[in-house]
């Protein structure tokens, strides 16, 4: 129900277990229970945004500590780790997380509190080997958290691969309708990290609102059909783009050398996801002109919704981004694949 406060019994106990809406509430708990099942974890905390979830994870670590994070990751979180996290007792090393050995080398046993991964990683859709890195991180005494937003639980379940925490920007695939901002952390085990994260959420007031929780519950009802279709369409689009002379590279988890495809197959049993990027053969101006000519794809940020979206990430991310300036990020929605392919083929051609 949509309420901020809960009635006590005459004996002062609470019949529903809820007291007040900031630490937790019944509607949010229902959402959390669904995400826990989807991720096969032990417990979930829902937050008011993906960023609130991610930052709560870092604030829940015993600080000061060292953290290993990927060079290619969600831009706003990378900025927070670079600019805000150091003053909060987090010493962050950015590494090439597509290389498990590079991650292992960056781990300082006894000092490294956490390894943060994002796979597939926005906006290049490179993969990190969650099982291998989790085993190495655990040897070094660090926990592993995976931003699994771009995959969704339909595609991969990081807990099954050995990760300790799974983060989602539920704003994206979990909700799927571009009308809720929300985030989640799912914990493989109940324990001190979960308890500290719950305390951070309560004291920073970072919880998801009950109304948004109700919308998110409704959105998640169609998660499996949406994502299955988005994966299928993204595979068609990526194939068409690989055969297009105006496209220099297609970046998609199902595309690459044999080793990457093998990792994708092993780690992403539900498909390769609905996100891909293309690099336009004519460079930055070609990319911008292509985005301007698209009409089925809408020019907007965000991802994972029912409408297909296109974004020139380099202009959003600005200086220091690992994103090339000839790249267009595509979020595949629920439109027919041939309509999306025709839109791209027409837009990529110079008039
Ligand atoms: C959108 C996004 C986030 C942040 O989520 P918000 O709900 O916008 O705060 C984090 N990681 C990834 C991969 C995202 O796409």
């Amino acid at each position: 129900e949509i309420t901020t406060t809960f009635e006590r019994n005459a004996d002062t106990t609470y019949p529903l277990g809820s007291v007040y809406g900031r630490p937790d509430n019944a509607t949010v708990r229902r959402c959390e229970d669904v995400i826990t099942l989807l991720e096969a974890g032990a417990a979930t905390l829902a937050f008011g945004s993906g960023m609130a979830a991610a930052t709560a994870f870092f604030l829940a670590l015993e600080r000061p500590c060292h953290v290993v994070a990927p060079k290619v990751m969600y831009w706003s979180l990378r900025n927070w780790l670079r600019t805000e996290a150091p003053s909060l007792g987090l010493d962050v090393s950015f590494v090439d997380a597509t290389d498990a050995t590079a991650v292992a080398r960056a781990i300082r046993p006894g000092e490294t509190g956490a390894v943060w991964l994002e796979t597939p990683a926005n906006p290049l859709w490179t993969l990190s080997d969650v099982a291998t890195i989790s085993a190495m991180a655990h040897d070094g005494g660090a926990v592993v958290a995976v931003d699994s937003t771009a995959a969704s639980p339909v595609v991969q379940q990081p807990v099954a691969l050995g990760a300790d925490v799974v983060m989602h920007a539920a704003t994206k695939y979990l909700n799927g309708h571009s009308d809720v901002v929300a985030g989640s952390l799912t914990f493989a085990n109940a324990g001190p990290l979960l308890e500290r994260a719950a305390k951070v959420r309560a004291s920073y007031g970072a919880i998801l609102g009950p109304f948004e929780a109700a919308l998110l519950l409704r959105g998640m009802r169609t998660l499996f059909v949406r994502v299955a279709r988005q994966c299928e369409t993204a595979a068609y689009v990526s194939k068409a783009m690989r055969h297009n002379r105006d496209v220099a590279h297609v970046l998609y988890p199902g595309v690459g050398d044999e080793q990457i495809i093998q990792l994708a197959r092993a780690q992403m049993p539900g498909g390769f996801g609905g996100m891909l990027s293309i690099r336009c053969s004519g460079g930055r101006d070609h990319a911008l002109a292509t985005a301007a000519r698209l009409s089925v794809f809408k020019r907007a940020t965000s991802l994972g919704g029912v409408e297909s979206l296109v974004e020139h990430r380099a202009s959003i991310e600005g200086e220091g981004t690992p994103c090339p300036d000839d790249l267009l990020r595509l979020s595949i929605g629920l439109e027919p694949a041939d309509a999306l392919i025709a839109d791209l083929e027409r837009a990529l051609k110079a008039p």
Side-chain angles (χ1 to χ4, degrees):
E1 60 267 75
I2 298 183
T3 180
T4 57
T5 191
F6 299 83
E7 199 174 352
R8 278 190 202 230
N9 294 324
D11 66 1
T12 79
T13 59
Y14 287 92
L16 300 172
S18 294
V19 177
Y20 177 57
R22 177 155 47 73
D24 74 66
N25 76 64
T27 319
V28 170
R29 269 208 300 271
R30 287 181 56 199
C31 244
E32 292 169 344
D33 291 346
V34 172
I35 300 172
T36 299
L37 286 172
L38 289 169
E39 288 295 355
T44 297
L45 296 172
F47 293 82
S49 71
M51 280 298 289
T55 53
F57 167 79
F58 288 107
L59 295 174
L61 296 173
E62 293 211 40
R63 291 170 281 140
C65 76
H66 172 247
V67 166
V68 179
K71 280 186 179 154
V72 178
M73 68 183 290
Y74 181 68
W75 189 241
S76 300
L77 184 58
R78 186 179 129 98
N79 276 350
W80 184 83
L81 287 170
R82 282 174 53 206
T83 59
E84 305 289 329
S87 65
L88 299 165
L90 294 160
D91 169 19
V92 189
S93 301
F94 292 95
V95 302
D96 174 5
T98 64
D99 177 359
T101 338
V103 178
R105 268 201 308 271
I107 295 170
R108 306 176 195 155
E111 258 181 78
T112 304
V115 175
W116 183 268
L117 299 175
E118 180 179 323
T119 185
N122 183 43
L124 306 182
W125 317 117
T126 46
L127 304 184
S128 290
D129 183 337
V130 177
T132 304
I133 292 172
S134 296
M136 294 187 312
H138 293 159
D139 284 346
V143 297
V144 174
V146 178
D147 180 344
S148 194
T149 299
S152 92
V154 179
V155 161
Q156 70 185 11
Q157 289 177 310
V159 166
L161 300 166
D164 303 279
V165 179
V166 183
M167 175 252 158
H168 280 287
T171 314
K172 314 292 171 57
Y173 286 102
L174 287 180
N175 181 60
H177 295 75
S178 309
D179 53 9
V180 173
V181 176
S184 66
L185 293 176
T186 299
F187 295 79
N189 302 295
L193 186 60
L194 165 67
E195 278 158 35
R196 285 197 301 272
K199 274 194 189 142
V200 168
R201 184 179 74 169
S203 53
Y204 285 71
I207 196 170
L208 184 65
F211 188 67
E212 285 75 8
L215 278 175
L216 177 53
L217 273 169
R218 188 170 68 179
M220 288 192 294
R221 289 191 172 117
T222 53
L223 177 71
F224 278 84
V225 272
R226 282 188 281 109
V227 175
R229 170 73 179 268
Q230 284 161 323
C231 289
E232 196 186 322
T233 306
Y236 284 132
V237 173
S238 80
K239 196 169 170 206
M241 291 299 99
R242 265 177 290 158
H243 294 114
N244 191 302
R245 272 183 287 125
D246 297 311
V247 174
H249 290 286
V250 176
L251 307 169
Y252 187 58
V255 176
D257 64 31
E258 197 46 43
Q259 221 182 329
I260 293 167
I261 293 171
Q262 257 175 29
L263 175 61
R265 288 221 176 97
Q267 179 166 292
M268 306 169 80
F272 298 144
M275 294 303 300
L276 69 142
S277 293
I278 53 172
R279 295 186 62 181
C280 300
S281 54
R284 179 177 191 274
D285 292 345
H286 182 204
L288 289 169
T290 300
R293 285 191 288 258
L294 284 165
S295 67
V296 181
F297 283 89
K298 302 301 172 205
R299 287 174 296 279
T301 196
S302 198
L303 58 95
V306 298
E307 295 92 3
S308 292
L309 303 179
V310 58
E311 192 170 45
H312 184 253
R313 283 301 299 175
S315 357
I316 306 287
E317 298 192 359
E319 219 175 299
T321 172
C323 179
D325 65 3
D326 57 5
L327 180 145
L328 292 177
R329 183 180 83 176
L330 305 176
S331 172
I332 301 299
L334 295 183
E335 304 89 343
D338 48 6
L340 294 172
I341 292 166
D343 196 30
L344 283 164
E345 284 175 345
R346 186 186 48 79
L348 280 158
K349 275 201 210 77

